[in-house]
Amino acid sequence: RTRFYVYEKKNYYRAMGAGNKGYDFVGPAQALRPNYVDCLIGTGAYNYFAGSIPTLMKIFAWMFTQGGDKEKGIQQLELAAHKGEYGQIAARMVLLAVFYNEKRFDDYQRLTSVLIEQFPTNPVFVTWLADFHIRQRRLEEGNQKLALLLDKDKATSRSKLSLAQISYEKGRVLLEKQSAEDAAASLTRVIDGALPGGDPLLAKARLLRGCAWDLQRKREQAVADYQAVLQLRDTDDCQRKARGFL
């Protein structure tokens, strides 16, 4: 909740309140077992976010919050991510936000890659990897990383949904790179795959492939994809966007 208020709502008052409530639970638990590493997820997250609030708010935040220490918080989270008993994944999820916020982009990529390999059937981390490269405009690097995930040796451990998600994200990166022909080919692999008819990825892939066709001045194929979107399950406002392109 603290992260939500900080990053999504920019409401530091509520973030401090949520952090205090969480600390009220974690503090006594850590007192019972001071060496229990999993408790460092809560205290580490609190230390980092409380230590990251704007300078102006720090002037009076001390009146109703525990003090925060950003660097100590990062160290605690990293320790929990490496040596936690049950909370390693939770600590890594928090660290992803921390690394991005701190512009530690190499660490962000490294940790995302670790999570992709640890959970090869989960498409979420692949999406985060693609999002990172698009936001940072490191498009060729992103394309190469996603291509490696589709390597035959690695692909055997991935689910059909995961492989489809990787191909979709690769198509998205290539479209941002203005490599329309390659983007269309990658998105075609999603569309021609064995996904269930109601899978939300199909509408998204059709929409982007339509954009790729338009970039190649292949309007007839683009129109066919946009019209197909209107017959599929609506996801991420795809149908409204398709009507706009039509």
Side-chain angles (χ1 to χ4, degrees):
R1 186 177 288 181
T2 301
R3 284 186 290 155
F4 172 76
Y5 283 131
V6 169
Y7 292 121
E8 298 297 326
K9 296 297 184 180
K10 307 299 181 185
N11 189 324
Y12 296 100
Y13 295 103
R14 289 196 173 185
M16 286 188 291
N20 268 338
K21 288 181 180 178
Y23 196 85
D24 288 342
F25 289 106
V26 176
Q30 191 170 26
L32 292 172
R33 292 182 63 184
N35 296 322
Y36 189 52
V37 177
D38 279 5
C39 286
L40 293 178
I41 301 169
T43 54
Y46 182 87
N47 269 323
Y48 175 77
F49 290 107
S52 301
I53 60 177
T55 303
L56 182 61
M57 293 199 65
K58 287 182 181 179
I59 296 173
F60 57 88
W62 61 270
M63 292 187 293
F64 55 95
T65 64
Q66 301 282 342
D69 184 331
K70 186 167 73 169
E71 294 306 319
K72 182 178 180 181
I74 294 174
Q75 292 172 6
Q76 290 172 324
L77 287 167
E78 289 180 326
L79 181 59
H82 284 93
K83 296 186 177 181
E85 183 177 3
Y86 299 109
Q88 287 189 13
I89 306 308
R92 289 170 183 171
M93 298 288 281
V94 178
L95 275 173
L96 281 176
V98 169
F99 287 154
Y100 195 89
N101 191 51
E102 294 296 313
K103 295 181 171 55
R104 290 173 55 174
F105 296 135
D106 288 340
D107 287 328
Y108 180 93
Q109 289 189 82
R110 174 188 55 76
L111 187 52
T112 305
S113 296
V114 167
L115 290 166
I116 289 172
E117 293 308 316
Q118 188 172 0
F119 301 100
T121 61
N122 190 329
V124 172
F125 302 118
V126 175
T127 299
W128 290 357
L129 184 67
D131 284 343
F132 165 78
H133 285 93
I134 289 172
R135 286 195 299 263
Q136 297 298 315
R137 308 310 297 170
R138 294 162 67 166
L139 300 174
E140 181 53 33
E141 180 183 315
N143 176 45
Q144 291 176 7
K145 285 183 179 294
L146 291 164
L148 285 175
L149 295 177
L150 291 169
D151 180 83
K152 288 183 180 179
D153 292 336
K154 293 186 177 181
T156 55
S157 65
R158 306 190 192 282
S159 66
K160 290 181 180 179
L161 175 59
S162 180
L163 290 171
Q165 188 74 44
I166 296 169
S167 293
Y168 171 79
E169 299 301 344
K170 188 171 186 287
R172 191 159 67 98
V173 169
L174 286 166
L175 197 58
E176 290 283 344
K177 192 171 175 281
Q178 299 293 301
S179 300
E181 185 174 349
D182 290 336
S186 188
L187 293 163
T188 296
R189 284 193 286 273
V190 180
I191 295 163
D192 292 346
L195 293 176
D199 194 288
L201 201 56
L202 289 173
K204 294 166 66 175
R206 285 274 189 180
L207 182 72
L208 287 193
R209 192 175 70 169
C211 295
W213 292 138
D214 267 337
L215 283 175
Q216 297 176 74
R217 301 184 183 278
K218 296 181 178 180
R219 184 59 181 170
E220 185 176 344
Q221 290 98 315
V223 168
D225 270 338
Y226 298 144
Q227 289 176 335
V229 171
L230 302 180
Q231 306 303 316
L232 294 169
R233 175 182 170 186
D234 195 15
T235 305
D236 293 344
D237 211 17
C238 283
Q239 291 189 357
R240 182 190 64 79
K241 294 172 185 175
R243 291 189 187 95
F245 291 138
L246 285 168

